[in-house]
Amino acid sequence: MIKKSNQSRREFIKKSAIASSSLLFPTAPLFSNINSLKNNLPNIFLFSKQLQFLGYNDMCKVTKEMGFNGVDLTVRPKGHVLPENVAYDLPIATETMKLHDLTPQLITTNISNIQNAIDVLVLKTVSKLGYQLYRPAWYKYKNETTILDTVENVKNKLKNLEILNTEFNINMGYQNHSGHYFGAPIWDLHQTLKEIKTKNSGCQYDIMHATVEGGKNWEIGFHLIKPYINSIVVKDYIWKKINDKWVVKYVPLGEGMVNFTHFFSLLKKNAINVPLCLHAEYDLGGAEHGLKPTIPYTKVYKKLHQDINFIKEKWASTL
C-alpha cells in the first residue's frame, strides 16, 4: 500500500468535509443548543458507538451540531477504527475531529495485554496523536477461579499495562461495568489502583452501573473510588420483568432510576471535573449496538440531543 503524505491526507479530509451531504443538513443548524450554562460544566463527549453507522466526517459534523465537545472514539474490533489499521485510520479520524472543532481526547479499546503487539501499537499511536485517556478491555470473574485470585490476576495485568501507560504518557480509565466483571463491586478496582504508585491508571466511573450494583449504597463506592476517577459515563435504566426474570432496561436520561441530581451534586462538592461521556444504550433502532439504524437518522440525533440537553440543564440546576 502506498502511504499518503500528511498534506495529501489533510486535503482529502477537507474536500470530503465540504462535499459530504449524507446528513442532509439544512443551511440553518438542526439543533438549538444550550450554550450559556456555567457552573464549571465538564466537557461532554458522545460515545461513538451510537454513530458508528456514519463515516468520520458525518459523525463529527452531527456531534458538533448536537453540542458535544468531542467523541469517545471506538478503537476496537467492529469499532470506528480497527486496531490493526490504527496507524493510518486514527490520524484521519483525529484530523476530522479538529476540522469540526472537536477535542480528540478519549478512546475506547479492547486493550488488555502488554505482550500483544496490536495493543502496544494502539497505545503508541493514540499517545502520539495527543489523546489523553483510553478505556481498556474488561476482565471477568469466572467460576473456576476464586474471587481473590481473580483480583490478584487482574491487578498484575493492570500493573503491566501501567508500564505502557507511563512509557507513552497516557491515562487508563477502567470502567466499573455491572455483572460478573472486575470493577463492578468497586472495592476490587480500588484495591488495585491504590497499589499502582504511578499516576496513569484510574477509573472511568459509570454511575448507571454503580447504581445497578449498589442500589441505595452506591455512594459508599463512589467515595471509595473518587480519588481515582478520571472520566465519567452517564446513562440511565430501569428494572423490567421479562418472562419472570428481572432485567436491566436502558432508557433515556432522566427516565430511569439514576439519581443525577445527587450524583452531580457529589461531583461538584468533591470538585471532580473530568470528561463526561454519554452512552445511549436504549433503543435507537440498532444504533445503540453500533449498527445502521432502522429508524430515520434524524430520530437518532434528536434523542441524543435530548440527552445532552438533559445533562446541561441538570448540571446547571444542581447545587
Side-chain angles (χ1 to χ4, degrees):
M1 179 186 293
I2 300 175
K3 294 185 178 180
K4 299 180 181 180
S5 69
N6 288 338
Q7 185 62 32
S8 62
R9 176 187 292 156
R10 193 172 296 113
E11 289 302 315
F12 170 78
I13 295 167
K14 287 181 179 179
K15 289 177 182 178
S16 298
I18 293 171
S20 174
S21 60
S22 64
L23 295 180
L24 302 179
F25 281 170
T27 53
L30 185 63
F31 306 105
S32 175
N33 290 310
I34 300 172
N35 294 318
S36 60
L37 301 180
K38 304 298 183 182
N39 297 323
N40 296 317
L41 179 70
N43 282 337
I44 305 174
F45 292 74
L46 175 64
F47 192 28
S48 84
K49 184 175 79 170
Q50 276 78 67
L51 295 181
Q52 217 157 266
F53 57 94
L54 297 176
Y56 301 146
N57 183 66
D58 287 352
M59 172 189 68
C60 292
K61 183 178 178 68
V62 73
T63 298
K64 185 65 179 180
E65 282 279 349
M66 287 187 290
F68 291 90
N69 301 103
V71 293
D72 180 353
L73 192 67
T74 51
V75 183
R76 61 185 182 181
K78 299 182 180 180
H80 254 121
V81 174
L82 300 180
E84 60 270 24
N85 297 335
V86 68
Y88 183 76
D89 287 349
L90 188 58
I92 295 176
T94 305
E95 286 290 332
T96 307
M97 290 181 201
K98 292 178 180 178
L99 280 174
H100 290 279
D101 196 28
L102 296 173
T103 303
Q105 186 175 4
L106 309 181
I107 66 165
T108 291
T109 74
N110 271 10
I111 290 173
S112 64
N113 187 353
I114 192 173
Q115 303 300 328
N116 185 309
I118 296 295
D119 285 358
V120 175
L121 176 63
V122 169
L123 280 187
K124 182 177 181 179
T125 305
V126 300
S127 172
K128 188 189 251 183
L129 291 170
Y131 288 83
Q132 298 173 14
L133 181 75
Y134 75 96
R135 190 183 89 190
W138 301 301
Y139 300 98
K140 296 194 75 170
Y141 289 102
K142 298 179 181 179
N143 292 333
E144 59 268 25
T145 308
T146 68
I147 301 296
L148 294 182
D149 281 347
T150 298
V151 172
E152 286 303 311
N153 289 338
V154 175
K155 188 183 298 184
N156 289 332
K157 290 178 180 178
L158 292 183
K159 284 182 176 180
N160 284 336
L161 278 182
E162 179 63 8
I163 297 173
L164 290 181
N165 300 339
T166 302
E167 178 181 348
F168 297 126
N169 192 29
I170 191 167
N171 298 312
M172 178 199 73
Y174 187 94
Q175 183 189 20
N176 54 303
H177 196 294
S178 61
H180 289 183
Y181 290 93
F182 175 87
I186 298 293
W187 65 263
D188 51 356
L189 181 57
H190 172 266
Q191 187 177 104
T192 295
L193 293 177
K194 76 175 184 179
E195 289 191 18
I196 297 177
K197 304 303 182 183
T198 47
K199 63 179 182 178
N200 296 90
S201 292
C203 171
Q204 183 173 85
Y205 187 78
D206 189 313
I207 180 57
M208 189 227 87
H209 285 302
T211 305
V212 169
E213 289 292 335
K216 293 182 178 181
N217 199 37
W218 64 264
E219 189 177 343
I220 301 299
F222 169 82
H223 285 296
L224 183 66
I225 204 70
K226 67 185 180 185
Y228 303 99
I229 295 175
N230 56 20
S231 59
I232 288 166
V233 168
V234 292
K235 48 184 179 277
D236 211 346
Y237 80 104
I238 59 172
W239 286 104
K240 185 174 183 179
K241 196 171 187 180
I242 300 178
N243 297 326
D244 293 325
K245 183 179 180 181
W246 287 97
V247 297
V248 167
K249 176 179 172 58
Y250 296 105
V251 295
L253 298 186
E255 296 182 14
M257 303 177 72
V258 174
N259 188 341
F260 286 103
T261 298
H262 186 49
F263 179 54
F264 286 174
S265 176
L266 286 175
L267 293 179
K268 288 185 175 184
K269 288 177 182 176
N270 289 278
I272 298 175
N273 193 310
V274 296
L276 187 154
C277 188
L278 170 67
H279 286 207
E281 305 285 357
Y282 54 87
D283 184 11
L284 291 172
E288 72 277 14
H289 300 305
L291 305 174
K292 184 176 180 178
T294 56
I295 62 176
Y297 291 4
T298 52
K299 287 190 176 181
V300 175
Y301 309 150
K302 182 178 179 180
K303 289 177 182 257
L304 297 175
H305 183 241
Q306 289 171 342
D307 278 343
I308 187 174
N309 277 349
F310 173 87
I311 295 169
K312 292 179 177 180
E313 290 168 350
K314 181 63 68 175
W315 186 271
S317 64
T318 299
L319 300 177

